Amino acid sequence: IFVDCELSEALSRNRQRSGKDRVPDDIIERMSSRFEKPDASNAWEKNQITINLPAPENLARIAAKVPPSAITHAWLDPRLEEEEAEKAEAEAARDRERTAESVLHSLDLALREAVKGCMQAKSEGGAAKAELQRLSKACAQARKDILARARGAVGKAPP
């Protein structure tokens, strides 16, 4: 259960306190700026109940509206529902696939740059056309082999 209280209301209530019960305003303001309200779009917060509490005298009236079954369910079964767990796993699989594609793309770009550098060095070194063609084919095949091995390794846990 999340009881929401605006900063101005919290400060107003605090000013009515005295002695050790009163909290310095700067502490309340700092806590308010750091506090992150629950977000029902997060699966782990789906069982939350938010109560906007405008005045203390309304607490009993509002609490009476919260069904005990909702509190019991949130307390005893905070786990993700099966459907939400499946959605979360599908999203995780999509994230892994995007990461793998990004890694493979980066590897391919780096390999292409390496081949280009090798070919330029040989060409500038005066290599014959036949030798450059042979080297080009060998580099292209090596690049394909490396990418194929990388595709097979992406997503697998290291040994």
Side-chain angles (χ1 to χ4, degrees):
I1 297 175
F2 170 68
V3 180
D4 194 8
C5 180
E6 293 298 322
L7 175 60
S8 59
E9 180 65 27
L11 290 169
S12 172
R13 290 180 193 173
N14 186 53
R15 287 186 194 109
Q16 296 171 14
R17 299 180 181 136
S18 61
K20 292 182 180 180
D21 292 336
R22 191 166 193 292
V23 178
D25 287 353
D26 65 313
I27 292 176
I28 293 174
E29 290 167 353
R30 188 173 57 226
M31 288 177 63
S32 176
S33 70
R34 292 181 178 174
F35 189 77
E36 185 177 318
K37 294 180 180 182
D39 181 358
S41 68
N42 294 324
W44 58 89
E45 294 177 333
K46 80 172 190 78
N47 292 325
Q48 68 144 6
I49 297 170
T50 299
I51 299 172
N52 294 310
L53 195 59
E57 60 271 11
N58 293 329
L59 182 57
R61 180 179 55 77
I62 293 171
K65 291 182 176 183
V66 178
S69 62
I71 296 170
T72 303
H73 177 72
W75 181 264
L76 296 177
D77 190 16
R79 298 169 295 151
L80 293 176
E81 297 291 333
E82 188 174 320
E83 182 179 307
E84 290 175 9
E86 288 173 4
K87 284 187 213 174
E89 178 54 38
E91 181 64 27
R94 284 191 295 275
D95 287 347
R96 286 190 298 272
E97 188 175 313
R98 283 191 293 263
T99 299
E101 288 171 2
S102 175
V103 168
L104 291 171
H105 179 69
S106 296
L107 175 61
D108 187 31
L109 291 176
L111 290 171
R112 287 174 184 269
E113 281 299 312
V115 168
K116 178 182 170 184
C118 180
M119 295 301 295
Q120 281 179 340
K122 285 291 186 177
S123 177
E124 290 169 2
K129 184 176 179 179
E131 184 182 349
L132 289 174
Q133 288 175 337
R134 185 184 50 73
L135 180 61
S136 175
K137 285 182 182 181
C139 286
Q141 187 59 52
R143 186 182 130 267
K144 286 180 184 178
D145 292 345
I146 291 170
L147 287 172
R149 280 186 276 150
R151 280 187 192 94
V154 168
K156 293 181 184 177

